[in-house]
PDB file of all heavy atoms in Angstrom:
ATOM      1  N   VAL A  89      46.031  30.228  31.678  1.00 70.00           N
ATOM      2  CA  VAL A  89      47.213  29.460  31.951  1.00 70.00           C
ATOM      3  C   VAL A  89      46.947  28.038  31.470  1.00 70.00           C
ATOM      4  O   VAL A  89      46.015  27.373  31.940  1.00 70.00           O
ATOM      5  CB  VAL A  89      47.566  29.481  33.448  1.00 70.00           C
ATOM      6  CG1 VAL A  89      48.792  28.605  33.700  1.00 70.00           C
ATOM      7  CG2 VAL A  89      47.802  30.895  33.923  1.00 70.00           C
ATOM      8  N   SER A  90      47.767  27.562  30.576  1.00 70.00           N
ATOM      9  CA  SER A  90      47.544  26.268  29.967  1.00 70.00           C
ATOM     10  C   SER A  90      47.938  25.113  30.849  1.00 70.00           C
ATOM     11  O   SER A  90      48.975  25.124  31.489  1.00 70.00           O
ATOM     12  CB  SER A  90      48.329  26.154  28.645  1.00 70.00           C
ATOM     13  OG  SER A  90      48.253  24.861  28.143  1.00 70.00           O
ATOM     14  N   GLU A  91      47.092  24.106  30.872  1.00 67.00           N
ATOM     15  CA  GLU A  91      47.438  22.821  31.486  1.00 67.00           C
ATOM     16  C   GLU A  91      47.943  21.862  30.423  1.00 67.00           C
ATOM     17  O   GLU A  91      48.378  20.769  30.754  1.00 67.00           O
ATOM     18  CB  GLU A  91      46.229  22.236  32.198  1.00 67.00           C
ATOM     19  CG  GLU A  91      45.792  23.065  33.399  1.00 67.00           C
ATOM     20  CD  GLU A  91      44.611  22.454  34.134  1.00 67.00           C
ATOM     21  OE1 GLU A  91      44.403  21.218  34.012  1.00 67.00           O
ATOM     22  OE2 GLU A  91      43.915  23.222  34.805  1.00 67.00           O
ATOM     23  N   TYR A  92      47.876  22.252  29.165  1.00 67.00           N
ATOM     24  CA  TYR A  92      48.274  21.417  28.020  1.00 67.00           C
ATOM     25  C   TYR A  92      49.187  22.203  27.084  1.00 67.00           C
ATOM     26  O   TYR A  92      48.824  22.505  25.942  1.00 67.00           O
ATOM     27  CB  TYR A  92      47.046  20.911  27.265  1.00 67.00           C
ATOM     28  CG  TYR A  92      46.105  20.097  28.143  1.00 67.00           C
ATOM     29  CD1 TYR A  92      45.017  20.699  28.748  1.00 67.00           C
ATOM     30  CD2 TYR A  92      46.321  18.757  28.331  1.00 67.00           C
ATOM     31  CE1 TYR A  92      44.172  19.966  29.548  1.00 67.00           C
ATOM     32  CE2 TYR A  92      45.474  18.002  29.107  1.00 67.00           C
ATOM     33  CZ  TYR A  92      44.405  18.616  29.749  1.00 67.00           C
ATOM     34  OH  TYR A  92      43.565  17.910  30.501  1.00 67.00           O
ATOM     35  N   PRO A  93      50.381  22.581  27.488  1.00 67.00           N
ATOM     36  CA  PRO A  93      51.207  23.414  26.645  1.00 67.00           C
ATOM     37  C   PRO A  93      51.681  22.727  25.358  1.00 67.00           C
ATOM     38  O   PRO A  93      52.119  23.407  24.428  1.00 67.00           O
ATOM     39  CB  PRO A  93      52.425  23.742  27.550  1.00 67.00           C
ATOM     40  CG  PRO A  93      52.452  22.657  28.562  1.00 67.00           C
ATOM     41  CD  PRO A  93      51.021  22.249  28.754  1.00 67.00           C
ATOM     42  N   ASP A  94      51.563  21.421  25.272  1.00 66.00           N
ATOM     43  CA  ASP A  94      51.990  20.713  24.042  1.00 66.00           C
ATOM     44  C   ASP A  94      50.911  20.782  22.947  1.00 66.00           C
ATOM     45  O   ASP A  94      51.157  20.392  21.822  1.00 66.00           O
ATOM     46  CB  ASP A  94      52.318  19.260  24.348  1.00 66.00           C
ATOM     47  CG  ASP A  94      53.498  19.125  25.279  1.00 66.00           C
ATOM     48  OD1 ASP A  94      54.411  19.965  25.172  1.00 66.00           O
ATOM     49  OD2 ASP A  94      53.485  18.243  26.121  1.00 66.00           O
ATOM     50  N   GLU A  95      49.727  21.259  23.268  1.00 68.00           N
ATOM     51  CA  GLU A  95      48.659  21.364  22.277  1.00 68.00           C
ATOM     52  C   GLU A  95      48.608  22.797  21.760  1.00 68.00           C
ATOM     53  O   GLU A  95      47.594  23.467  21.916  1.00 68.00           O
ATOM     54  CB  GLU A  95      47.339  20.966  22.911  1.00 68.00           C
ATOM     55  CG  GLU A  95      47.327  19.489  23.297  1.00 68.00           C
ATOM     56  CD  GLU A  95      46.047  19.072  23.952  1.00 68.00           C
ATOM     57  OE1 GLU A  95      45.148  19.886  24.124  1.00 68.00           O
ATOM     58  OE2 GLU A  95      45.941  17.867  24.325  1.00 68.00           O
ATOM     59  N   GLN A  96      49.689  23.239  21.127  1.00 68.00           N
ATOM     60  CA  GLN A  96      49.732  24.564  20.613  1.00 68.00           C
ATOM     61  C   GLN A  96      50.206  24.565  19.161  1.00 68.00           C
ATOM     62  O   GLN A  96      50.991  23.705  18.764  1.00 68.00           O
ATOM     63  CB  GLN A  96      50.706  25.440  21.422  1.00 68.00           C
ATOM     64  CG  GLN A  96      50.276  25.634  22.850  1.00 68.00           C
ATOM     65  CD  GLN A  96      51.227  26.502  23.610  1.00 68.00           C
ATOM     66  OE1 GLN A  96      52.230  26.972  23.117  1.00 68.00           O
ATOM     67  NE2 GLN A  96      50.902  26.721  24.870  1.00 68.00           N
ATOM     68  N   PHE A  97      49.727  25.534  18.403  1.00 69.00           N
ATOM     69  CA  PHE A  97      50.133  25.704  17.008  1.00 69.00           C
ATOM     70  C   PHE A  97      50.710  27.095  16.847  1.00 69.00           C
ATOM     71  O   PHE A  97      50.212  28.046  17.429  1.00 69.00           O
ATOM     72  CB  PHE A  97      48.939  25.589  16.069  1.00 69.00           C
ATOM     73  CG  PHE A  97      48.356  24.228  16.008  1.00 69.00           C
ATOM     74  CD1 PHE A  97      47.425  23.818  16.942  1.00 69.00           C
ATOM     75  CD2 PHE A  97      48.703  23.344  15.007  1.00 69.00           C
ATOM     76  CE1 PHE A  97      46.870  22.556  16.886  1.00 69.00           C
ATOM     77  CE2 PHE A  97      48.180  22.076  14.946  1.00 69.00           C
ATOM     78  CZ  PHE A  97      47.262  21.688  15.886  1.00 69.00           C
ATOM     79  N   GLN A  98      51.736  27.189  16.038  1.00 72.00           N
ATOM     80  CA  GLN A  98      52.231  28.516  15.643  1.00 72.00           C
ATOM     81  C   GLN A  98      52.070  28.604  14.135  1.00 72.00           C
ATOM     82  O   GLN A  98      52.496  27.698  13.398  1.00 72.00           O
ATOM     83  CB  GLN A  98      53.680  28.692  15.987  1.00 72.00           C
ATOM     84  CG  GLN A  98      54.241  30.020  15.497  1.00 72.00           C
ATOM     85  CD  GLN A  98      55.654  30.255  15.930  1.00 72.00           C
ATOM     86  OE1 GLN A  98      56.128  29.740  16.926  1.00 72.00           O
ATOM     87  NE2 GLN A  98      56.356  31.042  15.154  1.00 72.00           N
ATOM     88  N   LEU A  99      51.407  29.636  13.676  1.00 75.00           N
ATOM     89  CA  LEU A  99      51.169  29.819  12.239  1.00 75.00           C
ATOM     90  C   LEU A  99      52.144  30.824  11.671  1.00 75.00           C
ATOM     91  O   LEU A  99      52.364  31.860  12.264  1.00 75.00           O
ATOM     92  CB  LEU A  99      49.758  30.306  11.997  1.00 75.00           C
ATOM     93  CG  LEU A  99      48.631  29.471  12.616  1.00 75.00           C
ATOM     94  CD1 LEU A  99      47.295  30.072  12.305  1.00 75.00           C
ATOM     95  CD2 LEU A  99      48.721  28.019  12.182  1.00 75.00           C
ATOM     96  N   GLU A 100      52.777  30.468  10.546  1.00 74.00           N
ATOM     97  CA  GLU A 100      53.675  31.392   9.884  1.00 74.00           C
ATOM     98  C   GLU A 100      52.980  31.825   8.573  1.00 74.00           C
ATOM     99  O   GLU A 100      52.568  30.980   7.774  1.00 74.00           O
ATOM    100  CB  GLU A 100      54.989  30.705   9.565  1.00 74.00           C
ATOM    101  CG  GLU A 100      56.036  31.626   8.950  1.00 74.00           C
ATOM    102  CD  GLU A 100      57.364  30.924   8.814  1.00 74.00           C
ATOM    103  OE1 GLU A 100      57.899  30.413   9.789  1.00 74.00           O
ATOM    104  OE2 GLU A 100      57.870  30.901   7.686  1.00 74.00           O
ATOM    105  N   TYR A 101      52.867  33.151   8.401  1.00 76.00           N
ATOM    106  CA  TYR A 101      52.122  33.670   7.259  1.00 76.00           C
ATOM    107  C   TYR A 101      53.073  34.069   6.117  1.00 76.00           C
ATOM    108  O   TYR A 101      54.261  34.301   6.316  1.00 76.00           O
ATOM    109  CB  TYR A 101      51.302  34.885   7.699  1.00 76.00           C
ATOM    110  CG  TYR A 101      50.166  34.515   8.624  1.00 76.00           C
ATOM    111  CD1 TYR A 101      50.331  34.445   9.980  1.00 76.00           C
ATOM    112  CD2 TYR A 101      48.915  34.202   8.126  1.00 76.00           C
ATOM    113  CE1 TYR A 101      49.289  34.099  10.839  1.00 76.00           C
ATOM    114  CE2 TYR A 101      47.868  33.853   8.945  1.00 76.00           C
ATOM    115  CZ  TYR A 101      48.062  33.818  10.297  1.00 76.00           C
ATOM    116  OH  TYR A 101      47.040  33.453  11.123  1.00 76.00           O
TER     117      TYR A 101
END
Side-chain angles (χ1 to χ4, degrees):
V89 177
S90 172
E91 293 182 23
Y92 301 94
D94 296 325
E95 296 178 0
Q96 297 182 359
F97 292 84
Q98 176 177 334
L99 307 180
E100 185 174 305
Y101 292 88

